[in-house]
Amino acid sequence: MSEIVTTTGAGGVQSVERAFDLLEVIAASGGEAMLSELAAATGLALPTIHRLLRTLVATGYVRQLANRRYVLGPGLIRLGEGASRQLGALARTHLATLVHQLGETANMAVLDGDRVLYAAQVPSRHSMRMFTEVGRRAHLHDTGVGKAILAQLTDAAARALVTGAGMPAATAQSFTTPEDLLQDLALIRVRGYAIDDNEQEIGVRCFAMSVPNAPTPTAISVSGPVSRVDDAFGERAVPLLRAAAEAISHDLNRVP
């Protein structure tokens, strides 16, 4: 049986928007939610939610558990992996320019739940260089990209993320309390970039900056050994990072 749908002023289809609203609510609820929670969060009628969930379950984007809670389905993994590859491909040219200009490894990462996910990397040509596997997830509180992303959020949102994930000390320089981290985030917002100074790995320093107006919180960074990545390096790196972040933002938001 066909379904009548209503288009919105922006040209979207209301049923599609409502389906995505349900996915967003389930994700924000930790990956699972009851029907009543979905109704309360979206304001949709129960018959509408039932109809949308049947479609999402049939397509593999949602599963219903035995306890009748709805959880995100495996179909989203395939979409996420494809989106991550495309995002990495889009950024790689700009990261390569940073490596050419600065000589150190450049990364891009996105917020993934309560962690940061590395989506792209272009390595330095130095024999001693930083390497992070694309697809690796890391804590937010002790990485340059993670702190640059947290600084885009409110203090309450940042606190909730790091409290939920925990704040293990990778090194003696790592922040281990939300209060100390929030002080650093305030400084990051003022100066416009984050520094990981031996916080994730002793002997490694990283300068990172958020990508403005990205669809999901995103940041880029350059990192290397402290012997090369010093204050003078930072003075050169910050304006180049800003230019790269703005270029990536432009590409991400380009209208076909």
Side-chain angles (χ1 to χ4, degrees):
M1 181 175 66
S2 61
E3 177 186 353
I4 297 174
V5 295
T6 304
T7 58
T8 65
V13 179
Q14 193 174 70
S15 291
V16 175
E17 293 178 347
R18 287 173 170 176
F20 277 108
D21 286 343
L22 293 177
L23 292 173
E24 292 284 354
V25 171
I26 295 172
S29 302
E32 62 178 74
M34 293 287 290
L35 190 65
S36 58
E37 295 168 342
L38 294 172
T42 63
L44 296 175
L46 289 177
T48 299
I49 296 175
H50 270 298
R51 183 173 65 252
L52 294 171
L53 286 173
R54 280 200 304 269
T55 300
L56 291 170
V57 169
T59 52
Y61 298 124
V62 168
R63 291 188 301 118
Q64 186 176 24
L65 302 180
N67 62 5
R68 305 190 68 78
R69 296 182 71 85
Y70 289 92
V71 300
L72 298 178
L76 293 172
I77 297 175
R78 182 178 67 255
L79 293 182
E81 289 174 344
S84 180
R85 285 193 298 270
Q86 290 299 316
L87 184 61
L90 179 148
R92 203 161 288 118
T93 297
H94 302 295
L95 298 181
T97 298
L98 283 173
V99 174
H100 175 73
Q101 294 169 323
L102 296 167
E104 301 298 343
T105 296
N107 294 288
M108 183 176 73
V110 298
L111 182 63
D112 181 37
D114 58 7
R115 299 288 199 281
V116 65
L117 174 81
Y118 286 90
Q121 180 183 87
V122 175
S124 166
R125 295 179 180 176
H126 289 290
S127 57
M128 184 172 67
R129 61 177 182 263
M130 298 314 303
F131 175 79
T132 298
E133 184 178 358
V134 172
R136 172 176 171 256
R137 298 175 79 240
H139 281 279
L140 291 159
H141 71 283
D142 61 2
T143 56
V145 286
K147 293 195 296 179
I149 286 173
L150 287 174
Q152 299 178 67
L153 310 178
T154 64
D155 279 356
R159 180 188 290 272
L161 285 174
V162 299
T163 300
M167 298 181 67
T171 75
Q173 300 297 110
S174 304
F175 291 104
T176 56
T177 68
E179 290 71 27
D180 288 341
L181 177 63
L182 291 176
Q183 289 184 19
D184 193 45
L185 296 184
L187 178 60
I188 292 168
R189 294 182 187 115
V190 171
R191 70 187 178 202
Y193 60 92
I195 303 174
D196 161 11
D197 191 4
N198 293 275
E199 295 164 42
Q200 190 181 46
E201 185 176 348
I202 293 296
V204 176
R205 185 174 290 125
C206 167
F207 287 83
M209 189 173 293
S210 63
V211 174
N213 303 312
T216 190
T218 303
I220 58 174
S221 68
V222 286
S223 57
V226 294
S227 58
R228 297 196 303 259
V229 181
D230 53 14
D231 290 342
F233 175 92
E235 291 177 4
R236 292 190 296 119
V238 167
L240 296 174
L241 275 169
R242 184 172 293 112
E246 290 172 353
I248 292 171
S249 174
H250 177 268
D251 287 352
L252 285 172
N253 292 285
R254 180 181 297 162
V255 177

